[in-house]
Every structure is written in structure tokens, then in C-alpha cells.
Amino acid sequence: ETNWDGVQLQVSVGGGAWTPVGATRTQAPSGQGVQTVGPWYEGSQASWGTETVDLPPWLGLSDVRFQFVLRSDSSTFRDGFHF
């Protein structure tokens, strides 16, 4: 649901806090619903697309972890996030 639901890619280094990561298809947070901090994937795509994430900031570091976080409210029910 545009501006209300979304998926965020996050990174953690050395077991530290999770930090949002921007990529080619992410957007600034709308400030509505669950999107308040960092870049998000949101809206609908009619077809599959290619995504690129710049990884050099984490090259050579140890214990680098990535996660996708899905945030949604209860007003609209549709398919989630596919990758």
C-alpha cells in the first residue's frame, strides 16, 4: 500500500544496530504509516526488476549482516514482497 506499507533493507556490522540501506529502487520514507526512517521499497511493480545495492562500504569488514524488514498496517490485504 503506497505511503503506508513497505520493505526496508538493513545492514548490521559486528552485531551493532540495524541501519537502513538505500538502493536503486528505494524511496525516501513517506512519514505515514510505518515508513518513518530511511529508504523504503513501496508501491506495486507490474513486472520483475533488477536491483543494485552498493556494497563497497562493507568490504573488508567482519560480521556484516543484511536483512529485509516488512512493515504493514491492517487496512489493505495484498501479496507481500517477492524477491
Side-chain angles (χ1 to χ4, degrees):
E1 182 181 17
T2 301
N3 294 328
W4 291 92
D5 302 335
V7 170
Q8 188 173 68
L9 175 61
Q10 298 178 343
V11 64
S12 172
V13 178
W18 290 99
T19 305
V21 175
T24 57
R25 293 178 178 261
T26 55
Q27 303 174 23
S30 67
Q32 299 174 329
V34 297
Q35 298 181 22
T36 55
V37 177
W40 289 85
Y41 296 98
E42 66 158 354
S44 298
Q45 296 286 343
S47 61
W48 288 96
T50 300
E51 175 61 293
T52 302
V53 177
D54 189 27
L55 297 178
W58 302 286
L59 291 178
L61 300 177
S62 61
D63 194 19
V64 177
R65 300 174 189 206
F66 292 91
Q67 70 178 3
F68 287 97
V69 177
L70 172 68
R71 300 285 160 102
S72 180
D73 61 20
S74 60
S75 69
T76 301
F77 299 94
R78 296 196 176 120
D79 284 348
F81 184 74
H82 304 273
F83 61 97

